[in-house]
Amino acid sequence: MKRKMMLAVAVAAGMTAFACSRNKNDTLTIPLQPVTRQTIVVSAEATGVVEPINVIEVKAKSSGQIVAMPVETGSFVKPNDLLVQLDTRDTRNAYAQAKADIDAANVNLAVSKQAKERADQLFKDRIITAVEHEQAQVEYANAYATVLRNRAALDIRLQNLQEATVRAPVAGTVIEKDVALGQVIASGTGSFGGGTTILKMADLTKVRVRALVNETDIGKVKPGQTGTVTVDAFPDRPFVGTVEKIEPQATIQQSVTMFPVLISIDNTSRLLMPGMNGEVSIEVERRDNVLAVPNDAVRSPNEVASVAPLLGLDPDSVRAMLRNQGGGGGGNRVGSTQGGQGGAIDGTPGAASTNAELATTNQKSRGTQGAQGAQGATGGSGATGGQRGGFNLPQVTDAQCAAVTATLAKHPDVQTKIADLRTRMMSGEIDRQAMQGEMQKIYTAVGLDAGVARACNFRQRGAQGASGSAGASGGSGFGGGQSGGGQNGGGQNAFAGGQSAARRGLVFVASDTTNKRKYTPKMVRLGASNFDYSEVISGVKEGDLVAILNVAALQAKQQQDLNNIRGRVAVPGIQRPTTGGAAGGAAGGAGARPGGAAGGQR
C-alpha cells in the first residue's frame, strides 16, 4: 500500500513538472511585418455575360423560296457578300412583262407624237376642226402618261428581282440562323407580321460584358473606369475593357439588388464569343506607391481589452497612450468627438475630448479660443473648425486655392513630409510649435504661403458640406492629404483626389530594448484598402514593424486548447494549470473563437 502511494506521488510530480516545463516554453511568437510602400487597387467584383454591341436582324424585302444560302452560324462575312438567294422565276417574269409594257408604251408615244404634229399643221391650215386637234393632243398626253406608269412599274419589278438576292449590309459574324434551304419566306416590307427573319449577325471585333454589380458597390463605379474580365475558356488571359455605362434599372436576383454595368472590350482576336460567362473586376480606386500596412495587423480601437493581453500589455495603459495620441479611450467611438480637440493648428489633432466634461476642461485650459474649438464636437462646420485655437487664417480666392492645388500636385513629397511631422508631434518627439516651424519651411520651399495653404484646406473642407465632420475629426493640414472624418473617422482625402473615406485603426509597433521586444500602440488613419493592405495616411512611418495580430490570436487559441487538454489528463488532487486563462480570454475577445475567455479559465 505504501509503495502504491509513493508511485502515485511520483506520477503526480512528473505530470506537474511536465506541465510547468511546457507552459514555460509555450510563449506566443508574434510575427512582424514592416510598413512598406505598395500599390493598392480597390476593385468591385461581379459576374457578367459577353454580348455583342450591335445585333442586326437580316430580312428579305422580297418573298419567295430560298434556293441558295452559302453561310452558316459563325461565318464571317464582308459587306455585299451573298447571304440568301431566293427563287427569281416569278420576279423575273414580272420584270419581263413590265419591260414589254414599257416598250409598247414607248411605241404608242412615238405614234401619238407624230399624230399630234400632223394635227397641229392641219389645224394651222384650217383643214381640221378644233375638236379634232384637241383629240390628238389628248391622245399624246395619255401615251406619255402610260410611258411614265410603265417605267415606274419596270423599276419596281427590277428592284424585286434584285431583292431576291440578300447580301450582307455590314461586315460581321453570323450568330444566329433562323431559316433553312428550301424554306419559303415572307417579305419584310409587304407582310403584316414584319416578314421572316433570315439570320442575325453582329460585329464581334468589339463586344461588351453585362456585369451585375451589387448595390453596395455601384456608388463607386463610374463610366470610364477600367474593368478586367476573365472567362473560363481563357483563365490565364484577362481581357481589359472600359466601363461604358451603368443602367439605371436594378435587377433583383434571390433578394439581392444589382445594377447592370456595361463594359466595352476590344475583341479583335475574336476569342470572346456571345454568351460566355466571366468574372469582372472593376478598378474603382488606385493608390500608387503609398505607405501600406497589412490588414492582419490592424484592429479596431474598441478591441483594446481583447488585443492588449496577447502582447503582454495592460489594456488601461494602452487606452491612456491612445488618449495621449488623440485616439480616444479605445472603448468609445473613436473620432466621434474629435472636434473637441480645440486649438488644433493646421488641422492637426490635439487631445481627444471624449465627453462633455473633458470638453469643458479644454475650454478652461485653452481659454475662450480653445472653447470655440471644443464646440466643433457638437457639429461646427469644417471651415469654422479650421480657425480654432485663435489661428487667424487669411481670406483666400478660388484662384489662390487652384494655384495651391496645382503646386502640391507637382510636389507629392510635401504630403509625406507633413504626415511625418504630424506623426512625430503625436509621438511626443517634437512639440506643436516646432512642427509649425517645420511646416512653414516645407511650404516655403515649394513657393507656398503656409497661411494661404491652410486657409484653402479649411475652405475646401467647408465646401464639401461636411458640417461637423471636418471640424469633428480635426483632420490633417492642407498638405497632409486628410480631411475631416466625422464619428467614425470618415471623410475624403483633401486635395488628394481620393475616394475612400478615411478611418481610424489601431496597430502595435514593435521595437527591441535590451533584447526584449516591446510593443507600442499607434493610432493610424487609413485610406484605400483591399483584401491584403490598407493605405496609411498618418500614424506610422515606412519601415516600422507592426505585429500581425491574427496569428497571435490563433496561437492564443491553440495554447488555450492545449491547456484544456492538460487539465483533463491531470492527476486527481493536483491543481490544473491556469496559465492559459489570459491567453484564452484574449483569443476569444480577438475573434479567434467565441467564448474563448471562458474556455481559458479552466
Side-chain angles (χ1 to χ4, degrees):
M1 185 67 179
K2 184 178 180 181
R3 184 176 182 180
K4 291 182 179 180
M5 291 289 295
M6 294 177 62
L7 180 60
V9 172
V11 171
M15 291 295 294
T16 303
F18 173 76
C20 292
S21 63
R22 291 297 303 270
N23 290 331
K24 182 178 180 180
N25 295 330
D26 288 342
T27 59
L28 293 179
T29 302
I30 310 297
L32 305 177
Q33 283 195 21
V35 177
T36 59
R37 293 194 171 272
Q38 302 280 343
T39 296
I40 298 179
V41 178
V42 182
S43 302
E45 307 294 335
T47 58
V49 180
V50 179
E51 64 181 25
I53 295 179
N54 186 24
V55 179
I56 300 175
E57 289 187 356
V58 179
K59 296 182 179 181
K61 294 182 179 180
S62 179
S63 302
Q65 185 181 23
I66 299 176
V67 295
M69 193 171 187
V71 297
E72 296 292 339
T73 302
S75 300
F76 176 76
V77 295
K78 296 178 292 185
N80 296 323
D81 281 356
L82 178 63
L83 299 180
V84 169
Q85 178 62 60
L86 301 179
D87 187 2
T88 60
R89 287 178 296 178
D90 294 339
T91 54
R92 186 177 292 108
N93 292 336
Y95 174 75
Q97 183 178 353
K99 192 173 186 310
D101 292 340
I102 191 63
D103 291 341
N106 286 331
V107 172
N108 186 31
L109 178 62
V111 172
S112 299
K113 182 178 181 181
Q114 293 176 359
K116 176 182 175 297
E117 291 175 353
R118 287 194 301 269
D120 291 341
Q121 184 63 36
L122 291 174
F123 180 73
K124 183 179 180 181
D125 295 340
R126 297 179 182 275
I127 298 174
I128 62 176
T129 63
V131 175
E132 293 174 337
H133 180 250
E134 292 172 355
Q135 184 177 0
Q137 289 180 337
V138 170
E139 289 177 357
Y140 173 75
N142 290 333
Y144 184 74
T146 302
V147 170
L148 293 181
R149 285 194 298 269
N150 290 336
R151 188 179 297 171
L154 180 63
D155 289 341
I156 294 175
R157 298 305 181 186
L158 178 60
Q159 183 179 356
N160 291 339
L161 181 61
Q162 293 174 346
E163 289 174 349
T165 302
V166 182
R167 299 186 178 276
V170 295
T173 303
V174 178
I175 60 176
E176 183 178 324
K177 180 180 174 184
D178 299 317
V179 296
L181 188 65
Q183 183 175 339
V184 177
I185 63 174
S187 170
T189 57
S191 60
F192 177 77
T196 305
T197 300
I198 298 175
L199 53 83
K200 293 180 182 179
M201 58 180 297
D203 183 8
L204 297 184
T205 58
K206 190 174 183 180
V207 298
R208 67 186 178 194
V209 175
R210 183 179 296 271
L212 296 178
V213 179
N214 196 293
E215 64 175 335
T216 58
D217 297 328
I218 198 64
K220 306 174 186 176
V221 180
K222 300 291 184 295
Q225 292 177 340
T226 301
T228 303
V229 180
T230 304
V231 297
D232 294 338
F234 307 100
D236 299 328
R237 179 171 180 173
F239 297 87
V240 180
T242 304
V243 176
E244 179 182 343
K245 68 176 181 178
I246 303 170
E247 294 187 351
Q249 182 60 48
T251 299
I252 300 178
Q253 292 184 355
Q254 297 179 352
S255 301
V256 178
T257 303
M258 294 173 286
F259 288 85
V261 177
L262 304 183
I263 304 171
S264 300
I265 300 177
D266 184 10
N267 191 34
T268 308
S269 59
R270 294 187 178 87
L271 296 178
L272 294 177
M273 292 179 284
M276 281 186 171
N277 296 313
E279 299 293 331
V280 180
S281 177
I282 302 175
E283 183 179 309
V284 298
E285 193 173 356
R286 185 183 184 90
R287 292 286 188 272
D288 293 319
N289 195 30
V290 296
L291 283 182
V293 63
N295 290 336
D296 291 341
V298 181
R299 280 293 179 270
S300 169
N302 298 331
E303 300 181 40
V304 170
S306 58
V307 175
L310 295 176
L311 305 176
L313 301 177
D314 179 59
D316 294 333
S317 300
V318 173
R319 292 192 185 97
M321 297 177 68
L322 295 180
R323 281 194 293 269
N324 293 333
Q325 297 177 18
N332 299 323
R333 300 180 63 181
V334 177
S336 61
T337 55
Q338 295 289 325
Q341 295 164 358
I345 303 300
D346 196 38
T348 304
S353 302
T354 56
N355 49 45
E357 181 180 356
L358 188 54
T360 304
T361 304
N362 285 341
Q363 294 177 8
K364 294 179 180 179
S365 62
R366 302 187 182 186
T368 306
Q369 296 169 344
Q372 295 176 357
Q375 292 173 359
T378 63
S381 67
T384 303
Q387 299 176 355
R388 292 169 189 164
F391 194 79
N392 296 321
L393 297 178
Q395 296 293 330
V396 292
T397 63
D398 294 340
Q400 288 177 305
C401 291
V404 170
T405 303
T407 302
L408 290 179
K410 297 178 182 178
H411 301 84
D413 57 321
V414 170
Q415 297 181 358
T416 304
K417 294 178 181 178
I418 295 295
D420 182 62
L421 281 176
R422 188 178 307 102
T423 302
R424 293 170 59 190
M425 190 276 294
M426 294 174 63
S427 63
E429 182 179 348
I430 59 176
D431 57 16
R432 183 167 291 132
Q433 185 175 2
M435 183 193 70
Q436 293 179 42
E438 293 296 329
M439 291 176 64
Q440 180 74 30
K441 295 179 182 179
I442 293 174
Y443 284 131
T444 304
V446 296
L448 291 177
D449 181 87
V452 173
R454 288 190 288 267
C456 288
N457 175 41
F458 294 123
R459 177 181 177 181
Q460 170 68 13
R461 285 194 276 166
Q464 290 176 350
S467 177
S469 296
S473 70
S476 73
F478 184 91
Q482 299 177 12
S483 77
Q487 289 187 344
N488 291 316
Q492 296 181 341
N493 299 335
F495 297 94
Q499 297 178 358
S500 290
R503 65 190 189 282
R504 288 185 176 271
L506 173 64
V507 299
F508 290 84
V509 178
S511 59
D512 290 332
T513 56
T514 62
N515 297 327
K516 182 179 180 181
R517 184 176 294 179
K518 179 182 177 181
Y519 297 97
T520 304
K522 292 286 186 179
M523 227 24 178
V524 294
R525 185 174 291 276
L526 307 174
S529 177
N530 56 18
F531 293 106
D532 301 318
Y533 290 91
S534 293
E535 175 191 8
V536 177
I537 300 176
S538 65
V540 293
K541 61 181 182 296
E542 186 174 1
D544 284 348
L545 296 177
V546 293
I548 305 302
L549 301 176
N550 281 358
V551 177
L554 180 61
Q555 290 180 351
K557 174 181 175 298
Q558 293 174 344
Q559 180 68 33
Q560 170 204 344
D561 294 341
L562 181 60
N563 289 336
N564 291 341
I565 296 175
R566 291 170 180 166
R568 285 193 293 268
V569 300
V571 177
I574 302 298
Q575 183 178 3
R576 297 178 180 179
T578 59
T579 57
R593 187 179 68 178
Q601 294 175 355
R602 293 181 179 178

